[in-house]
RNA sequence: GCCCUCGUAGCUCAGGGGAUAGAGCACCGGUUUCCUAAACCGGGUGUCGCAAGUUCGAAUCUUGCCGUGGGCACCA
């Protein structure tokens, strides 16, 4: 039997051992000034539950061999002595590692603790009293959300959930701009379709590059939006019977914005995503904040006029060239409102300001962060999560998508095809900074080859066992003795379960939800090994009940973990 | 040309300066009078892109080179 690794033990044992080892080291003659102990969890179970490399690190300091130092520390620890209800053994191995094994009584207490904590197991208080803002999606309402937005949405929402579970007071915000060029073109696109609907004799023209030529009504803008939803909006306007002044392009824009925003919210809602606030870029103009920022840059000699435009000295931030803040037309480039927006967020007092951006922003956000910093704000509070692009794969071939032809796959279509849970999980299961290959065939497969089903199945199976146990007459109440859980699969499972809080905390700290997804797979694997080796129904009542407690704790860990990922934990499949 | 990402098994990818670098898929073989076979068990020879450097120790940190993707507009 191959047992899964034990990612859990470290925080439990570490603080205790840290104290004990430092105490021994001071008896042995002390440590260098800025020295601190390092612990790690061995990949190999033969190396115990926790290892310390202190002997190797201090070989030079003590002018002794690492193994000799390890021997001295071990002797020192044993004469303290170590608490046998916490640590069951200390061994020296390899070049001088100290390998510690956790006492099983400690594990049983910890297991009881999981059960007692129930739905709150996994929560930690690292962010207690702190506030975080996660800004994500932030697509201008020019069309339906696409697969690419989906990765953004799921990452942002899950990061918010992770922060919530680590004690932060979290808000989700959507930033958009309804006053820019994109939205103007959107209004003109709708207007052109509207006119064409009213007047079938209205001429058409061809736009686009060679190979991608598309027929559109004559008034259609060259870079207009081509999706069918534009004509739908136009037809709805006609059907509404409203008298519209066709010169009032803004009316078409507003109609489009309203309709599209409602659809975006509905799409997000399918994935259990709800924004707390929407921030309109326009408010930065209305408040005049934007122009104050330029003055501040000028005062610091970081902005100047040239060729009728206002330039930001990005060369002062290490860039090759300066960049334009305000065009000669008087219209700011995106940098200026972006800087303003981030200052606004920092002034709202958040301890962490997380942005979720696609890879196309990778080179531009540093201008914004450095600009904010240059104005005296604590830009270290800004954390930018960059994710790489998504490729859909069907039958081993990439699905061709073209924004130009509006032949992209929408997020709704993706969810229609593979389901909401699978959509969320697939967007989360890879590190944000790796290019994501979304295999549609795998996503639709209802077997253990699909990682989502594998996790959900483990949960459903536990619930099934618990139902069955009740049906077969196992008394609800009775003696439970967790100390009966001595099989190596049982011990390994307990150790794995204990890792949930640390895994969530680490994923939150690094803004990397995939860590939790990977951890849950380990839990499911460890449970499956337990399931294969240890029966519940049919055993003596007290052993059966003890194992049921372990199974319940496993279900809790799976459900809590899946909840953080925004994925359901079904009782039956 | 410059900046940023990534480069790990046939494929998709984990990997927090540590011990013999892992998982899933695929492929091969086995398991069902037994709590969900939507399952389980067994099977891994890889220049961790290449080369230097730092370190007791490097897939991990530094630098250079090669390759992928993204970006280098008075677009966002």
């Amino acid at each position: 039997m191959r047992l899964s690794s034990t990612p859990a033990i470290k925080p439990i044992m570490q603080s205790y051992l840290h104290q004990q080892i430092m105490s021994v080291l001071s008896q042995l003659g002390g440590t260098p000034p800025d020295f601190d102990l390092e612990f790690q969890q061995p990949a190999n179970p033969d190396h115990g539950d926790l290892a310390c490399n202190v002997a190797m690190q201090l070989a030079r300091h003590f002018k002794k061999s690492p193994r000799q130092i390890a021997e001295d520390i071990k002797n020192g620890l044993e004469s303290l002595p170590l608490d046998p209800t916490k640590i069951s053994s200390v061994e020296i191995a390899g070049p001088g590692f100290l390998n510690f094994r956790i006492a099983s009584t400690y594990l049983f207490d910890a297991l009881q603790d999981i059960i007692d904590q129930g739905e709150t197991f996994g929560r930690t208080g690292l962010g207690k009293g702190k506030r975080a803002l996660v800004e994500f999606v932030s697509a201008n309402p020019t069309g339906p959300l696409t697969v690419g937005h989906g990765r953004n949405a799921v990452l942002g929402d899950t990061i918010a959930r992770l922060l919530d579970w680590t004690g932060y007071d979290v808000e989700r915000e959507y930033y958009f701009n309804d006053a820019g060029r994109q939205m103007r073109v959107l209004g003109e696109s709708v207007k052109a379709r509207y006119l064409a609907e009213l007047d079938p004799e209205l001429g058409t023209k061809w736009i686009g590059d060679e190979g991608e030529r598309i027929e559109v009504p004559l008034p259609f803008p060259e870079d207009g939006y081509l999706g069918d939803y534009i004509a739908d909006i136009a037809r709805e306007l006609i059907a509404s019977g409203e008298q519209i002044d066709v010169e009032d392009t803004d009316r078409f824009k507003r109609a489009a914005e309203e309709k599209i925003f409602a659809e975006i919210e509905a799409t997000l809602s399918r994935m259990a995503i709800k924004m707390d606030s929407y921030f309109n870029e326009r408010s930065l103009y209305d408040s005049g904040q934007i122009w104050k920022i330029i003055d501040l840059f000028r005062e610091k000699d970081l902005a100047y006029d040239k060729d009728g435009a206002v330039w930001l000295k990005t060369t002062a931030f290490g860039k090759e060239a300066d960049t334009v803040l305000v065009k000669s037309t008087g219209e700011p480039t995106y940098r200026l409102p972006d800087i303003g927006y981030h200052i606004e967020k920092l002034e709202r007092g958040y301890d962490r300001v997380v942005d979720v951006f696609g890879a196309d922003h990778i080179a531009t956000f540093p201008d914004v962060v450095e600009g904010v910093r240059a104005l005296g704000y604590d830009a270290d509070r800004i954390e930018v999560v960059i994710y790489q692009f998504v490729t859909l794969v069907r039958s081993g071939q990439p699905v061709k998508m073209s924004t130009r032809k509006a032949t992209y796959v929408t997020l709704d279509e993706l969810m229609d095809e593979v389901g909401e849970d699978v959509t969320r999980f697939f967007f989360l299961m890879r590190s944000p900074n790796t290019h994501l290959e979304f295999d549609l065939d795998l996503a639709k497969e209802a077997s253990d080859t699909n990682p989502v089903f594998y996790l959900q199945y483990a949960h459903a199976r536990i619930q099934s066992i618990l139902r069955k146990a009740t049906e077969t007459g196992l008394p609800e109440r009775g003696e439970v003795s967790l100390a009966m859980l001595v099989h190596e699969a049982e011990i390994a499972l307990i150790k794995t379960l204990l890792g949930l809080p640390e895994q969530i905390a680490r994923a939150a700290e690094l803004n990397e939800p995939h860590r939790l997804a990977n951890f849950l797979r380990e839990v499911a694997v460890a449970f499956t090994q337990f399931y294969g080796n240890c029966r519940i129904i049919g055993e003596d009542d007290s052993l059966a009940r003890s194992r049921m407690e372990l199974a319940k704790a496993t279900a809790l860990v799976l459900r809590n973990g899946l909840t953080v990922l925004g994925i359901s934990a079904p009782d039956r499949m």
Side-chain angles (χ1 to χ4, degrees):
Chain A
M1 181 178 68
R2 218 173 43 222
L3 291 173
S4 60
S5 63
T6 60
I9 301 308
K10 189 171 175 180
I12 298 170
M13 295 166 75
Q14 186 167 318
S15 58
Y16 174 70
L17 282 173
H18 188 279
Q19 201 178 356
Q20 304 304 313
I21 292 173
M22 288 308 279
S23 152
V24 168
L25 285 173
S26 67
Q27 288 171 29
L28 293 176
T31 57
D34 53 353
F35 176 81
D36 198 16
L37 291 176
E38 289 173 19
F39 291 91
Q40 71 218 48
Q41 289 165 232
N44 184 341
D46 292 341
H47 297 148
D49 296 313
L50 197 68
C52 188
N53 61 358
V54 59
M56 279 102 84
Q57 288 179 298
L58 292 181
R60 182 169 289 177
H61 176 71
F62 283 128
K63 297 189 176 65
K64 286 190 204 170
S65 76
R67 291 209 55 120
Q68 183 57 50
I69 296 167
E71 193 67 43
D72 293 345
I73 295 173
K74 179 172 188 272
N75 290 336
L77 287 170
E78 282 169 351
S79 63
L80 277 175
L82 286 176
D83 182 348
T85 67
K86 292 192 171 77
I87 306 297
S88 65
S89 74
V90 185
E91 286 166 20
I92 297 166
F97 285 103
L98 283 161
N99 292 336
F100 301 93
R101 226 166 277 272
I102 192 165
S104 53
T105 53
Y106 201 69
L107 283 183
F108 302 137
D109 290 346
L111 174 59
Q112 185 59 51
D113 210 38
I114 294 179
I115 295 161
D116 294 344
Q117 289 185 47
E119 287 183 2
T120 64
F121 177 67
R123 288 191 179 269
T124 52
L126 299 166
K128 201 168 189 312
K130 294 183 185 168
R131 295 170 62 217
L133 181 78
V134 185
E135 180 224 321
F136 60 109
V137 188
S138 294
N140 279 336
T142 58
L145 294 181
T146 64
V147 167
H149 296 124
R151 190 174 192 190
N152 185 314
V154 173
L155 272 171
D157 181 64
T158 307
I159 287 168
R161 288 167 187 256
L162 286 165
L163 290 169
D164 174 47
W165 276 67
T166 45
Y168 285 88
D169 182 9
V170 187
E171 292 167 50
R172 295 164 172 81
E173 188 156 285
Y174 189 123
Y175 177 75
F176 72 104
N177 175 23
D178 62 1
R181 198 187 125 278
Q182 282 184 16
M183 293 301 288
R184 198 164 56 240
V185 172
L186 176 72
E188 286 164 6
S189 304
V190 173
K191 178 174 156 182
R193 295 290 184 193
Y194 180 90
L195 294 172
E197 286 288 330
L198 288 182
D199 178 9
E201 303 300 312
L202 188 69
T204 62
K205 63 178 176 181
W206 291 82
I207 60 171
D209 309 326
E210 67 283 2
E212 277 194 66
R213 302 199 47 86
I214 297 149
E215 191 176 15
V216 294
L218 265 180
F220 201 85
E222 277 297 312
D223 49 357
Y225 290 88
L226 293 162
D228 293 338
Y229 64 95
I230 298 292
D232 291 343
I233 294 166
R235 278 191 289 270
E236 281 179 31
L237 273 174
I238 293 168
S240 75
E242 179 183 337
Q243 289 297 316
I244 296 175
D245 173 5
V246 293
E247 294 309 309
D248 184 9
T249 304
D250 197 54
R251 177 68 196 97
F252 295 99
K253 189 189 88 176
R254 287 201 313 276
E257 177 182 341
E258 206 173 300
K259 173 92 187 307
I260 292 168
F261 240 137
E263 282 176 4
I264 286 174
E265 285 181 342
T267 303
L268 292 176
S269 168
R270 282 182 72 178
M271 294 195 298
I273 297 173
K274 175 94 173 67
M275 294 290 169
D276 296 301
S277 50
Y278 290 80
F279 191 99
N280 191 338
E281 180 180 321
R282 196 199 298 188
S283 65
L284 296 166
Y285 297 84
D286 295 346
S287 70
Q289 194 224 18
I290 293 260
W291 313 112
K292 280 186 227 149
I293 288 170
I294 291 181
D295 291 339
L296 290 172
F297 276 131
R298 284 190 204 274
E299 281 172 27
K300 294 185 182 293
D301 199 26
L302 287 169
Y304 61 91
D305 295 305
K306 192 179 89 179
D307 304 334
V310 183
W311 294 70
L312 178 66
K313 276 192 192 169
T314 36
T315 46
F317 309 148
K319 286 265 173 164
E320 277 205 335
D322 292 339
T323 50
V324 171
L325 274 182
V326 184
K327 300 184 231 173
S328 52
T329 61
E331 207 178 348
T333 65
Y334 77 96
R335 278 183 196 82
L336 185 55
D338 256 22
I339 290 170
Y341 176 47
H342 281 86
I343 287 175
E344 206 275 344
K345 287 196 278 192
L346 289 172
E347 284 182 340
R348 277 190 257 164
Y350 298 107
D351 298 282
R352 288 174 74 169
V353 172
V354 182
D355 296 342
V356 183
F357 290 152
D360 50 340
H361 287 75
I362 202 161
T364 59
F365 78 85
D367 288 353
V368 173
V369 173
E370 291 312 311
V372 169
R373 195 192 307 281
L375 293 181
Y377 291 89
D378 182 6
D380 292 341
R381 293 184 179 198
I382 300 172
E383 300 170 19
V384 180
V385 177
I386 297 283
Y387 62 91
Q388 300 293 321
F389 292 134
V390 178
T391 309
L392 293 179
V393 175
R394 193 191 298 279
S395 311
Q397 295 298 316
V399 177
K400 287 231 161 59
M401 285 191 265
S402 155
T403 310
R404 180 75 200 164
K405 281 186 167 175
T407 54
Y408 46 79
V409 176
T410 69
L411 191 46
D412 278 317
E413 288 163 350
L414 180 63
M415 287 190 281
D416 290 343
E417 182 165 351
V418 306
E420 289 82 355
D421 282 341
V422 171
T423 299
R424 276 196 74 118
F425 191 87
F426 272 54
F427 282 141
L428 290 175
M429 70 182 179
R430 303 295 184 215
S431 159
N433 56 21
T434 64
H435 186 98
L436 176 65
E437 194 162 295
F438 196 124
D439 185 332
L440 290 164
D441 303 309
L442 175 62
K444 283 188 289 187
E445 198 162 328
S447 77
D448 68 321
T449 57
N450 181 335
V452 190
F453 282 89
Y454 186 74
L455 294 184
Q456 293 182 322
Y457 184 73
H459 182 267
R461 179 183 256 174
I462 293 169
Q463 299 306 325
S464 170
I465 294 168
L466 298 179
R467 282 192 298 272
K468 194 106 175 186
T470 309
E471 286 164 18
T472 55
L474 188 72
E476 281 286 332
R477 298 197 164 276
E479 189 200 343
V480 171
S481 174
L482 298 181
M484 297 178 82
L485 303 175
V486 294
H487 192 282
E488 59 177 322
E490 294 171 325
I491 298 295
L493 177 56
I494 296 169
K495 289 178 180 174
T496 303
L497 297 181
L498 293 176
L500 184 69
E502 189 196 4
Q503 295 292 331
I504 290 176
R506 182 143 180 91
E509 179 194 343
L510 299 173
N511 299 318
E512 291 184 346
H514 72 283
R515 290 170 180 278
L516 180 55
N518 290 337
F519 169 73
L520 292 180
R521 167 166 271 277
E522 286 182 35
V523 172
V525 168
F527 170 74
T528 299
Q529 287 169 342
F530 159 72
Y531 176 83
N533 285 281
C534 306
R535 291 191 57 80
I536 294 177
I537 295 163
E539 297 289 348
D540 290 345
D541 279 4
S542 82
L543 179 58
R545 265 194 298 273
S546 300
R547 286 181 171 165
M548 274 176 63
E549 291 300 305
L550 178 53
K552 280 184 200 168
T554 305
L556 263 173
V557 167
L558 288 171
R559 187 170 2 164
N560 292 358
L562 287 168
T563 299
V564 178
L565 298 181
I567 294 166
S568 69
D571 289 338
R572 297 169 200 272
M573 289 175 72

